[in-house]
Amino acid sequence: MERGERRRRLRALAALFFALLRAGCSRTKNVQAQAGEAVSTALFDFTVADPRTLDAYAGVEIPDGQKLVAMQLTVTNTSDQTYTMFSEDFQIQWGGGAEDFGPCLAAVDDTMLPYGYELAPGASRSGAMLALVPADCTALTVAYQEQNAAGRRVAAYFVEVLL
């Protein structure tokens, strides 16, 4: 799949994600947390920690009007099955606008979380997540949406990150 088409699909999925979040449902739950707090989902725990703004990062160009934010993500599989995790499972949100969100940047080195990785029962994986956000951004949210086997949203997890 071409990179441009992949991005268009990602944006469409993210728009659907936002629409579902805003629509809400009485059978779903929303969990709020702060950076540094462990968050427990049905299948894994995750923590977003050590947020900071970077002036530069090898292999990443910072466009005018934006800044580069780094965070450490740790995911621990608490289930009894192996899962494939993706960096795009966690969405970066920085405002209320229709385009104020995106995935973390693709890994440019071994300290960053790769696009996809296997997570065995009891195993943990940590790595840096980088995101480009507007230069005036002072807070963002790392969001994860949980779905049941039928594909219905059952929970959404929001970690507030102050910059």
Side-chain angles (χ1 to χ4, degrees):
M1 178 181 323
E2 279 186 28
R3 185 178 192 102
E5 183 176 329
R6 184 171 150 222
R7 285 182 188 217
R8 282 190 294 279
R9 286 186 184 188
L10 250 176
R11 286 181 193 258
L13 286 173
L16 176 61
F17 174 79
F18 269 115
L20 290 172
L21 287 179
R22 289 185 179 151
C25 180
S26 61
R27 289 187 239 166
T28 62
K29 70 177 183 173
N30 288 335
V31 175
Q32 304 283 332
Q34 301 294 313
E37 294 179 349
V39 178
S40 295
T41 74
L43 303 175
F44 60 86
D45 293 348
F46 72 95
T47 305
V48 177
D50 194 24
R52 60 206 179 282
T53 300
L54 303 176
D55 293 327
Y57 195 93
V60 177
E61 184 177 324
I62 305 171
D64 286 339
Q66 294 190 325
K67 66 181 172 183
L68 183 63
V69 176
M71 300 162 277
Q72 189 72 16
L73 176 68
T74 301
V75 182
T76 302
N77 185 343
T78 57
S79 77
D80 59 359
Q81 295 182 30
T82 297
Y83 289 99
T84 302
M85 299 294 298
F86 296 95
S87 60
E88 294 172 351
D89 289 338
F90 298 90
Q91 185 181 75
I92 312 299
Q93 305 170 352
W94 55 84
E99 299 211 6
D100 293 344
F101 64 89
C104 60
L105 299 178
V108 295
D109 62 29
D110 290 341
T111 66
M112 295 176 68
L113 283 175
Y115 174 74
Y117 53 94
E118 295 292 312
L119 201 57
S124 291
R125 181 81 184 245
S126 291
M129 288 188 350
L130 300 180
L132 290 168
V133 299
D136 62 350
C137 181
T138 59
L140 58 84
T141 300
V142 177
Y144 173 77
Q145 181 179 318
E146 189 170 67
Q147 297 179 345
N148 64 16
R152 291 199 179 112
R153 177 182 170 261
V154 295
Y157 303 87
F158 303 95
V159 178
E160 183 181 6
V161 176
L162 301 177
L163 304 173

